[in-house]
């Protein structure tokens, strides 16, 4: 067959040539997953030496601060750059207005101080939202009809973010989806001198059915009851709206943005990365983790290979980092 320079078809082009050996597969690999890409979401509870399993999330535990510090040392040893803290607030300190959220001696604030004292080089990310602290389980302050009040909620979110920065948090991560809260938090951080406290905005957070096990883990499911979060979290049907949300949060001072959930929304990750070219993170949420674990425990899927493949998909979609409950196991496998 004569060679035609204008066309390259079989057999001149054999796509399988570069797949034939390990060395060439490695040389042409477009995306790589390393422990640097992982953030470990952790549930912290009151007490000393307390460890509680989360029934709907096999392998995930709620830990008291002393045990969380030991967990932090393990993360450092594995090369995982950051931990994201989620407090399990005792029922007796929850309230309609969520005042415990900005208590300087609150559970989250004490956990931040303890981890930063023990592992100063580990990045500590804190959740800025009111659902763990409200008796109604919503992410904000509600009116008589149960509607979340945007501007009133922002006042409390700002106080919460500042309390986290004072405790030593490296990154505050507003996950509440209130309009305008990034700008107010950024302004107050600057005013208080926390100029290097980063903001990871949950800019495209969808009103997803994948969050159920997380709400069990932090103890907000019972408070929320049959209510929903449709009037502030995004409609899963929308894509263009996510770009608008992300652009607004960046304009208000976010340093990085989050897409949540993860794998069902990788198209959003790709659009944000391609169109805005900013640091983009994604959350492999509790429902995704629970589904994987159910398949692993039933022997339907191979844990190691599927776990790593699922995380690599985030990288291929454009995510710079991934919040995942698999972080420790994935880092161990990668190392």
């Amino acid at each position: 067959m004569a060679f035609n320079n204008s066309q390259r078809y079989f057999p001149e082009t054999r796509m399988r040539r570069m797949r034939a050996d390990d060395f060439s597969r490695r040389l042409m690999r477009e995306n790589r997953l390393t422990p640097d890409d992982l953030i470990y979401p952790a549930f912290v509870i009151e007490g000393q030496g307390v460890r509680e399993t989360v029934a709907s999330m096999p392998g995930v535990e709620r830990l008291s601060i002393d045990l969380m510090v030991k967990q932090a040392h393990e993360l450092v040893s594995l090369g995982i750059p950051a931990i994201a803290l989620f407090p399990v607030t005792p029922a007796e300190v929850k309230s309609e207005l969520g005042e415990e959220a900005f208590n300087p001696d609150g559970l989250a604030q004490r956990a931040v101080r303890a981890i930063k004292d023990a592992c100063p080089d580990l990045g500590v990310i804190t959740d800025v939202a009111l659902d763990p602290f409200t008796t109604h389980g919503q992410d904000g302050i509600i009116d008589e009809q149960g509607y979340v009040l945007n501007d009133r909620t922002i006042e409390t979110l700002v106080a919460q973010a500042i309390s986290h920065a004072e405790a030593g948090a490296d990154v505050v991560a507003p996950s509440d989806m209130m309009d305008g809260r990034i700008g107010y938090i950024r302004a107050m951080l600057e005013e208080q001198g926390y100029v290097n406290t980063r903001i990871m905005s949950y800019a495209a957070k969808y009103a997803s059915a994948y969050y159920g096990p997380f709400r069990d883990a932090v103890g907000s499911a019972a408070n929320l009851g049959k209510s929903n979060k449709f009037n502030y979290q995004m409609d899963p049907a929308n894509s263009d709206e996510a770009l608008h949300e992300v652009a607004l949060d960046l304009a208000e001072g976010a340093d990085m943005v989050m897409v949540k959930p993860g794998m069902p929304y990788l198209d959003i990750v790709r659009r944000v990365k391609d169109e805005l070219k900013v640091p983009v993170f994604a959350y492999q949420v509790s429902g995704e983790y629970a589904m994987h674990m159910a398949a692993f425990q039933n022997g339907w899927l191979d844990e190691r290979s599927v776990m790593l493949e699922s995380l690599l998909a985030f990288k291929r979609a454009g995510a710079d980092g991934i919040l995942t409950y698999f972080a420790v196991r994935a880092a161990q496998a990668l190392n």
Side-chain angles (χ1 to χ4, degrees):
M1 182 183 293
F3 176 70
N4 183 341
N5 194 43
S6 65
Q7 297 177 328
R8 294 192 65 192
Y9 298 123
F10 177 87
E12 286 83 5
T13 298
R14 291 179 182 265
M15 295 298 290
R16 290 182 58 193
R17 285 194 194 107
M18 289 296 287
R19 303 177 199 148
D21 295 291
D22 180 64
F23 82 89
S24 53
R25 290 193 296 270
R26 288 161 55 199
L27 286 171
M28 69 177 289
R29 189 160 291 149
E30 298 173 31
N31 295 282
R32 296 179 188 277
L33 179 72
T34 77
D36 290 342
D37 300 313
L38 306 174
I39 298 169
Y40 184 61
F43 302 110
V44 61
I45 58 175
E46 293 285 5
Q48 185 81 12
V50 179
R51 183 187 301 271
E52 294 179 353
T53 59
V54 180
S56 55
M57 299 178 69
V60 171
E61 297 177 316
R62 307 177 190 94
L63 300 177
S64 54
I65 292 175
D66 56 318
L67 297 182
M68 190 64 70
V69 168
K70 293 181 180 179
Q71 178 78 82
H73 282 294
E74 181 183 12
L75 300 181
V76 172
S77 70
L78 289 170
I80 295 172
I83 185 172
L85 292 177
F86 297 93
V88 182
T89 308
E92 60 269 19
V93 297
K94 294 186 180 187
S95 65
E96 283 286 311
L97 302 180
E99 295 96 337
E100 182 66 14
F102 54 88
N103 178 359
D105 292 317
L107 178 58
Q109 290 82 351
R110 284 182 280 120
V112 170
R113 288 193 289 267
I115 292 171
K116 291 305 293 184
D117 285 345
C119 303
D121 294 330
L122 180 67
V124 175
I125 302 170
T126 56
D127 183 49
V128 177
L130 302 187
D131 50 327
F133 307 98
T134 56
T135 50
H136 44 74
Q138 295 288 355
D139 292 38
I141 294 168
I142 60 175
D143 63 13
E144 292 80 5
Q145 288 74 45
Y147 184 81
V148 174
L149 300 169
N150 192 93
D151 298 8
R152 173 63 185 87
T153 296
I154 288 175
E155 297 176 20
T156 301
L157 295 174
V158 170
Q160 183 183 20
I162 292 299
S163 76
H164 292 175
E166 289 173 343
D170 300 290
V171 182
V172 293
S175 65
D176 56 286
M177 290 298 287
M178 297 299 112
D179 291 334
R181 86 279 201 214
I182 300 299
Y184 281 98
I185 291 171
R186 173 56 71 205
M188 188 58 69
L189 288 170
E190 290 288 322
E191 182 179 313
Q192 297 291 325
Y194 298 108
V195 298
N196 284 329
T197 301
R198 281 132 285 193
I199 297 177
M200 174 187 282
S201 170
Y202 285 61
K205 182 178 180 179
Y206 285 83
S208 171
Y210 282 88
Y211 301 148
F214 175 91
R215 291 171 183 164
D216 292 339
V218 297
S220 65
N223 299 104
L224 187 63
K226 295 184 178 179
S227 299
N228 60 60
K229 304 186 178 185
F230 296 163
N231 65 46
Y232 50 99
Q233 294 179 356
M234 282 187 55
D235 185 339
N238 294 352
S239 176
D240 290 344
E241 184 186 11
L243 272 293
H244 196 178
E245 287 278 10
V246 171
L248 284 169
D249 284 3
L250 290 168
E252 292 176 17
D255 300 290
M256 44 194 148
V257 295
M258 173 76 73
V259 174
K260 182 182 181 183
M263 289 184 72
Y265 295 82
L266 291 183
D267 60 314
I268 309 301
V269 174
R270 173 48 63 193
R271 286 198 65 186
V272 172
K273 194 63 176 178
D274 284 350
E275 299 184 35
L276 297 173
K277 302 186 188 306
V278 295
V280 182
F281 293 77
Y283 200 142
Q284 190 179 48
V285 299
S286 58
E288 298 173 67
Y289 173 85
M291 289 191 303
H292 278 102
M293 289 302 298
F296 300 157
Q297 291 181 340
N298 278 286
W300 296 335
L301 294 172
D302 177 72
E303 179 172 350
R304 184 185 187 280
S305 58
V306 171
M307 171 183 67
L308 294 179
E309 182 180 341
S310 74
L311 295 173
L312 185 61
F314 285 87
K315 294 294 292 181
R316 191 184 64 248
D320 296 287
I322 311 146
L323 276 81
T324 175
Y325 303 98
F326 287 122
V328 170
R329 274 172 283 175
Q332 289 168 341
L334 291 167
N335 286 331

